[in-house]
């Protein structure tokens, strides 16, 4: 394990209405990132399309596909050719009437290691995800790949420390968060506060768990939302190693020294001291003080 | 509940070797803070003494006392006189051989509402707390007081999102963290990183739970450690409202608008979406991937 480093690649992109052009642009950037040494490459949430959840429209279900399916077939071949791991979000059609906001882990030999189905589903103005996505039923876990053990969580999951903890406890060395977070014009005045909270809570997951964390957001204005980019990688002490801009398509290729995980956890031994005898009520929605 | 604001007071102090002088100085500052409008006043961890856990020395058990006991008797009278809530850390002697790092909540009528016993006990060079303190057995909860429902966690608890979550789910409007955190000279180069992580993780608890959070640290050099102060209050979106300096005794008196709790939780409805059906494994130390 001495000097074991892994290089991760994040693709922060803007999207147009053509699924094919979006895929082509993504393939191009995966190749560019692989050339620069990226070994685990993570794409943004729902990377094939624009962020269609800004309204509730049944036609958008046409964008869904199976796993494996057209997207994973193309990316499996690419992963094998480039010998890279690809984490690919998919609008998953599981069967007629059950759709998930998912992400697939494709290993460097092209095989599908497994997939994650977004567990926490938001529903806010212009983020009507509860209309489209059944909450995931596969739980929180991580996946072994040629270059390291990766956990995946998606966007809204980011705000739940339980999710990050469970992924870390499953042995992950990295948590990847494919994301689509942005703001409505009427909220522009709040942007700095929102970005600060978004970065703070994610850095806190890295700190609490002593784990590398990578968040991959999109950029550009789509209909009512402007996505704020700022994709980043932070180390197991929550320090940002690299961060993309807020309004440009940009790839990050970031070397991560896996020894930092053990070093950080030995210096700040939080995992040693968890009070697992006293956490049962975390499995309740609320512990009503007056009942 | 319209315009309901509560003013909290934090006492960040240095300590000398006289328990009596430390108590007198604290009483003086409680009175000063009450004059300035503080309604809930929180003292720093183990406020009666210097931070004795820098070595393992049985003589230090002489500093312990019962609850109720000398410290709570004095502070109960003071709370009643000033009509303030006082959160008072106590090195608790429960019986011969069982000692806790505790904090008592004294209501504005002088009555003891309850106490918390530190659940997560650190053990690091110069923080040999596992030698002195039996881990708490009262769990994570909050306490109703005249001015609001307060949760208490102590120092090392700060690094565990589970603790903050459970206190919030018990109905707390505030989490108070009496604290004694500092650095050894040999780590001075790491100070900024450590302070940043310390602030980040606490702000993240405020964000994840939509709750006011107040952290009260000591200042000054005691033997091998220099305590970094920087006591602060942040709002339910993790924004610091007020913060003390890093090397001066200083009181914070901070007005908190309780309406912000509901407003923040409605805007960022994380508590709505917790996946309590999928959190069971949080009650395990590790979910061994290879077993």
């Amino acid at each position: 394990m001495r000097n074991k480093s892994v290089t991760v690649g994040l693709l922060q992109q803007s999207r147009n209405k053509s699924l094919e052009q979006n895929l082509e642009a993504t393939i191009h950037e995966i190749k560019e990132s692989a050339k620069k040494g990226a070994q685990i490459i993570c794409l943004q949430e729902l990377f094939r399309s624009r962020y269609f959840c800004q309204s509730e429209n049944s036609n958008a279900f046409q964008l869904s596909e199976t796993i494996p399916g057209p997207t994973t077939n193309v990316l499996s071949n690419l992963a094998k050719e480039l010998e890279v791991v690809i984490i690919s979000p998919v609008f998953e059609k599981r069967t007629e009437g059950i759709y998930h906001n998912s992400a697939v882990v494709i290993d460097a030999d092209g095989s599908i290691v497994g997939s994650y189905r977004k567990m926490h589903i938001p529903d806010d103005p212009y983020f009507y995800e509860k209309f489209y996505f059944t909450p995931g039923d596969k739980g929180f876990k991580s996946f072994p790949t040629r270059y390291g053990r990766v956990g995946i969580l998606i966007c809204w999951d980011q705000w739940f420390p339980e999710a990050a903890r469970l992924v870390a406890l499953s042995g992950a060395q990295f948590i990847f968060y494919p994301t689509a977070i942005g703001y409505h014009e009427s909220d522009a005045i709040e942007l700095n506060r929102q970005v600060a909270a978004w970065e703070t809570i994610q850095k806190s997951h890295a700190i609490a768990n002593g784990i590398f964390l990578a968040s991959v957001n999109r950029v550009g204005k789509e209909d009512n939302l402007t996505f704020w980019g700022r994709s980043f990688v932070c180390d197991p002490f929550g320090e940002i190693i690299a961060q993309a801009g807020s309004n440009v398509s940009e790839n990050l290729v970031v070397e991560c020294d896996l020894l930092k995980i053990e070093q950080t956890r030995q210096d700040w031994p939080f995992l040693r001291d968890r009070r697992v005898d006293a956490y049962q009520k975390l499995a309740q929605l609320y512990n009503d003080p007056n009942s």
Side-chain angles (χ1 to χ4, degrees), chain A residues 159 181 183 187-201 228 230:
Chain A
W159 302 96
I181 193 166
Y183 62 99
D187 259 355
I189 198 173
E190 295 288 301
L191 180 60
N192 290 341
R193 293 179 62 224
Q194 295 186 359
V195 169
W198 178 75
E199 290 177 3
T200 295
I201 199 142
W228 72 51
R230 299 184 67 85

Side-chain angles (χ1 to χ4, degrees), chain A residues 108-134:
Chain A
D109 64 0
S111 65
I112 290 179
V113 187
S115 68
Y116 168 73
R117 293 176 175 140
K118 188 171 181 174
M119 291 286 283
H120 301 95
I121 307 293
D123 198 283
D124 279 321
Y126 306 109
F127 293 86
Y128 301 107
E129 294 198 21
K130 288 193 197 293
F131 174 75
Y132 293 102
F133 308 123
T134 299

Side-chain angles (χ1 to χ4, degrees), chain A residues 5-13 26 29-44 84-89 147 150 174-178 212-217 231-233 242 244 250-256:
Chain A
S5 78
V6 171
T7 301
V8 302
L10 312 185
L11 270 52
Q12 170 175 298
Q13 302 181 295
T26 301
E29 299 305 333
I30 289 174
K31 288 179 177 172
E32 290 298 307
S33 297
K35 266 187 216 159
K36 291 179 186 157
Q39 296 169 297
I40 303 176
I41 297 173
C42 184
L43 317 181
Q44 67 206 24
V84 296
V85 171
I86 298 176
I87 298 169
S88 170
Y147 303 117
V150 302
F174 300 88
I175 304 178
F176 287 93
Y177 285 98
F212 283 95
L213 185 151
S215 192
V216 195
N217 193 20
S231 302
F232 67 90
V233 179
E250 187 173 347
N251 300 341
L252 293 180
V253 177
V254 184
E255 192 177 337
C256 300

